């Protein structure tokens, strides 16, 4: 059977766990259709991080009222709109306070031996304090990246951006997460890989392979249970 891929953040959270904890985590993991997504704010990252056009004069940063209107138009519910605006305002204020300017950079996805691809970076390079910075954004309020999961993500970024692209060997790596809502935003909390002991590529690939091997077993067991119940094997006694 074809199994569904694990979202990047969940893969990072699970892959670093010991084998027995991986299995327990995946047995409780459910892939569904969340009522709130962060697609509206993700669609405006180029505006937020002031990505400059390649062939024209430099562009001014997008003003917050414009960004707010664009995100509201994209949201599918009031709750989704509120969640996205809190993240967008935190990012917008951070980008303006640091005078960030960015340019597009297609890093593409990283292929792994299990046949899956991961993408722990935005398709852009940002200048922070006159140094190139590549970032990954974790907007979640719950089940967000842990310290070990951030180590996993930084390691993936290092292998795909610095090692595979010599032009970016000196690039800084950042993961953006968010604090609790305060006023009209969730404030940005950015961590870097400075002082983090990174995993090697073979370690990363092995962790992902084991995770997907267990995920396949869990998915097949669930499918078997669904079929058993559909065939009538899940009915208990009529009286008791």
């Amino acid at each position: 059977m074809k199994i569904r891929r694990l979202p990047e953040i969940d893969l990072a959270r699970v892959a670093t766990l010991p084998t027995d904890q991986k299995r327990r985590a995946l047995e409780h993991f459910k892939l569904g259709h969340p009522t709130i997504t962060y697609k509206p704010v993700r669609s405006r990252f180029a505006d937020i991080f002031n990505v400059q056009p390649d062939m024209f004069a430099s562009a001014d940063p997008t003003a917050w009222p414009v960004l707010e209107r664009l995100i509201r138009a994209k949201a599918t519910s009031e709750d989704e709109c509120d969640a996205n605006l809190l993240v967008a305002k935190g990012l917008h204020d951070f980008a303006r306070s640091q005078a960030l300017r960015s340019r597009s950079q297609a890093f593409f996805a990283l292929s792994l031996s299990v046949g899956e691809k991961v993408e722990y970076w935005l398709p852009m390079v940002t200048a922070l304090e006159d140094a190139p910075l590549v970032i990954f954004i974790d907007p979640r309020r719950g089940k967000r990246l842990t310290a070990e999961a951030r180590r996993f993500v930084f390691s993936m970024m290092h292998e795909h951006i610095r090692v595979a692209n010599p032009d970016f060997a000196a690039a800084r790596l950042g993961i953006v997460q968010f604090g609790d809502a305060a006023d009209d935003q969730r404030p940005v909390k950015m961590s870097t890989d400075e002082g983090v002991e990174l995993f090697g590529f073979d370690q990363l690939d092995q962790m992902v392979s084991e995770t997907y091997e267990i995920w396949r077993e869990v998915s097949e067991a669930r499918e078997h249970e669904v079929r058993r119940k559909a065939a009538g094997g899940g009915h208990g006694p009529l009286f008791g």
Side-chain angles (χ1 to χ4, degrees):
M1 62 173 286
K2 181 175 175 58
I3 61 172
R4 296 176 63 183
R5 75 183 294 272
L6 297 167
E8 267 85 351
I9 292 175
D10 296 301
L11 176 61
R13 285 172 51 86
V14 174
T16 54
L17 297 173
T19 302
D20 58 336
Q21 293 182 34
K22 272 191 181 76
R23 185 172 296 278
R24 285 198 295 272
L26 291 170
E27 285 174 344
H28 288 88
F29 183 73
K30 290 181 174 59
L31 277 172
H33 299 284
T35 56
I36 292 176
T37 75
Y38 289 95
K39 290 180 180 178
V41 68
R42 290 185 191 281
S43 70
R44 308 317 312 183
F45 280 161
D47 295 311
I48 293 171
F49 290 102
N50 195 19
V51 173
Q52 298 294 299
D54 292 332
M55 300 177 62
F56 304 97
S58 61
D60 293 330
T62 303
W64 171 248
V66 175
L67 191 61
E68 180 181 14
R69 175 173 52 80
L70 292 170
I71 289 174
R72 286 188 181 280
K74 194 82 172 178
T76 59
S77 69
E78 193 62 32
D79 286 345
E80 182 171 86
C81 181
D82 291 343
N84 278 265
L85 288 176
L86 288 171
V87 168
K89 189 62 164 64
L91 284 173
H92 187 268
D93 284 5
F94 173 73
R96 298 292 80 78
S97 68
Q98 300 295 327
L100 298 184
R101 291 167 66 88
S102 308
R103 67 174 176 83
S104 297
Q105 177 63 46
F107 290 114
F108 303 110
L110 172 60
S111 297
L112 300 168
S113 65
V114 293
E116 295 291 343
K117 296 180 179 180
V118 295
E119 200 163 353
Y120 289 107
W121 38 79
L122 298 186
M124 65 181 70
V125 177
T126 297
L128 176 63
E129 298 172 354
D130 296 323
L133 171 72
V134 180
I135 60 174
F136 177 70
I137 295 180
D138 171 14
R140 292 185 178 185
R141 288 176 288 192
K143 296 184 178 179
R144 63 186 75 181
L145 293 172
T146 61
E148 276 296 282
R150 289 195 298 271
R151 181 186 175 196
F152 177 91
V153 172
F154 280 134
S155 302
M156 287 286 190
M157 296 174 80
H158 171 76
E159 291 294 331
H160 193 56
I161 292 166
R162 290 178 176 153
V163 176
N165 295 272
D167 290 344
F168 297 103
R172 299 170 66 186
L173 306 177
I175 294 176
V176 172
Q177 296 177 287
F178 300 84
D180 295 332
D183 298 325
D184 59 350
Q185 65 177 276
R186 289 174 61 201
V188 162
K189 296 183 175 181
M190 189 175 79
S191 54
T192 71
D193 69 321
E194 185 176 355
V196 177
E197 183 179 356
L198 301 177
F199 297 112
F201 182 78
D202 288 344
Q203 290 176 287
L204 294 168
D205 199 51
Q206 191 279 328
M207 284 190 283
V208 173
S209 295
E210 181 182 60
T211 301
Y212 268 100
E213 181 180 346
I214 296 171
W215 179 230
R216 176 174 293 280
E217 293 171 3
V218 169
S219 299
E220 288 176 347
R222 288 178 179 177
E223 179 68 16
H224 176 76
E225 181 65 13
V226 168
R227 291 178 179 176
R228 186 185 68 81
K229 289 182 177 180
H235 296 293
L238 295 176
F239 303 100

